Amino acid sequence: MADSPETDAIAKREADGPAADPITTRSTSAIMLISALLLIGVLAWALYDEAYGQRPWKQAQQEFAQRYGRYLNRLKKRGNPTEKEIKESEDYQRLDAEARAARESINPQKQENDRRIKIIEEQLAAVTDPFQDARGRITVINYKVEQADGSAKESLRREVQQRRQEKIKVELPQDDGSGKTTRREFDYQQLEEFYNHLKDEKARLLSDNAELLKEPTELEKKRNDYLRDNMVGLSETQVAALIKKNQ
């Protein structure tokens, strides 16, 4: 039976293809451009607000730093007459003379100690690695001795004795401080004793230096305390420190 017109009206014809996708068929360049410009604008405003909007005192701070710097520079050029007057006073001159005399009296001995300490440090640098290397090897073998049994233990013990008797060559800096070296040979025990002797001598010399410096240091402190207690205003050192801090 043929279809009636009413049936044709009710029936819907399917589309030939899928519906158009607005994401793929329409350009979003304008929207992305506007969004990017808005983001840039918001970022610029946030940076301005962070740097200036919320910190109105920054300009005043910069102006203060400039003016304070100019004041300190003028103070540095003018100097501190009070400090100069105190340093020219009789009491300060006496304290300064005592401190200088104490420092000069110890200088020869301290310089000799420093010279000897320098040589010891060079000699320690020459013997430390060979000594530590030999000690490490012997320590490893001794550990193996503790773990071994029977004939293996005796063999390792003989190896330890052999290691202790081996000659260790060292290029040792000479005592005259000339920078020249002398080749010397030590067995392990001799090298250990020499190494410990150098360390003990260095410690003794450092202790001697500390004792030598005690009196000059105390007199210099007394002189500096006198200047600080009697001075009105700032010293040159204090002014220089303030200029550096202000910068």
Side-chain angles (χ1 to χ4, degrees):
M1 184 174 88
D3 293 335
S4 64
E6 294 180 359
T7 304
D8 293 338
I10 294 175
K12 293 183 178 180
R13 184 179 179 182
E14 294 184 357
D16 295 336
D21 187 351
I23 299 299
T24 59
T25 58
R26 295 176 58 187
S27 174
T28 58
S29 299
I31 297 175
M32 293 180 65
L33 176 62
I34 294 172
S35 300
L37 292 175
L38 288 173
L39 286 173
I40 293 173
V42 170
L43 176 62
W45 175 83
L47 292 175
Y48 172 81
D49 187 58
E50 175 68 19
Y52 300 100
Q54 298 182 23
R55 291 176 171 81
W57 44 264
K58 289 189 68 174
Q59 185 175 357
Q61 184 186 49
Q62 293 174 358
E63 183 178 354
F64 168 79
Q66 293 173 357
R67 293 187 178 185
Y68 187 50
R70 290 195 295 268
Y71 166 75
L72 291 174
N73 286 326
R74 287 197 302 270
L75 188 62
K76 181 180 179 180
K77 292 178 181 178
R78 185 171 66 246
N80 193 332
T82 306
E83 179 181 3
K84 183 179 179 182
E85 292 170 0
I86 294 173
K87 286 185 175 181
E88 291 175 351
S89 68
E90 182 178 350
D91 289 339
Y92 181 88
Q93 291 291 330
R94 175 178 54 80
L95 293 173
D96 185 55
E98 291 176 356
R100 290 177 181 273
R103 175 71 65 171
E104 291 174 358
S105 67
I106 68 162
N107 273 340
Q109 184 61 50
K110 184 176 181 301
Q111 289 175 357
E112 175 60 24
N113 288 351
D114 291 341
R115 185 192 70 83
R116 180 58 188 159
I117 289 172
K118 184 175 182 295
I119 295 173
I120 291 174
E121 289 175 343
E122 292 174 351
Q123 292 179 340
L124 277 172
V127 303
T128 296
D129 285 346
F131 169 67
Q132 291 181 345
D133 180 66
R135 182 175 61 182
R137 293 176 184 274
I138 291 174
T139 300
V140 170
I141 300 173
N142 281 330
Y143 174 77
K144 292 180 179 179
V145 169
E146 295 177 359
Q147 304 299 317
D149 295 319
S151 60
K153 184 184 290 286
E154 292 301 322
S155 176
L156 289 169
R157 284 175 176 170
R158 287 193 298 270
E159 185 178 354
V160 169
Q161 292 301 321
Q162 182 181 356
R163 290 285 186 181
R164 286 180 171 274
Q165 294 171 3
E166 284 181 354
K167 295 299 181 180
I168 303 170
K169 296 180 181 179
V170 178
E171 293 292 337
L172 194 68
Q174 296 180 1
D175 290 338
D176 57 7
S178 62
K180 298 179 180 180
T181 60
T182 302
R183 176 170 291 186
R184 292 183 58 181
E185 292 185 350
F186 303 86
D187 61 28
Y188 176 76
Q189 183 175 353
Q190 292 171 339
L191 186 60
E192 183 179 27
E193 291 174 352
F194 184 65
Y195 174 82
N196 291 331
H197 167 72
L198 290 176
K199 294 190 68 175
D200 292 342
E201 186 178 2
K202 180 182 177 181
R204 179 184 61 79
L205 291 171
L206 290 174
S207 178
D208 288 348
N209 278 350
E211 189 65 28
L212 288 171
L213 289 170
K214 184 179 296 184
E215 182 180 2
T217 302
E218 290 177 352
L219 291 173
E220 289 168 355
K221 181 179 183 301
K222 187 176 180 181
R223 177 197 62 192
N224 296 337
D225 289 345
Y226 178 85
L227 175 63
R228 184 187 67 248
D229 295 340
N230 291 274
M231 188 179 65
V232 178
L234 301 174
S235 67
E236 294 180 2
T237 304
Q238 291 172 325
V239 173
L242 286 174
I243 291 175
K244 183 177 179 181
K245 183 178 180 180
N246 187 61
Q247 291 173 349

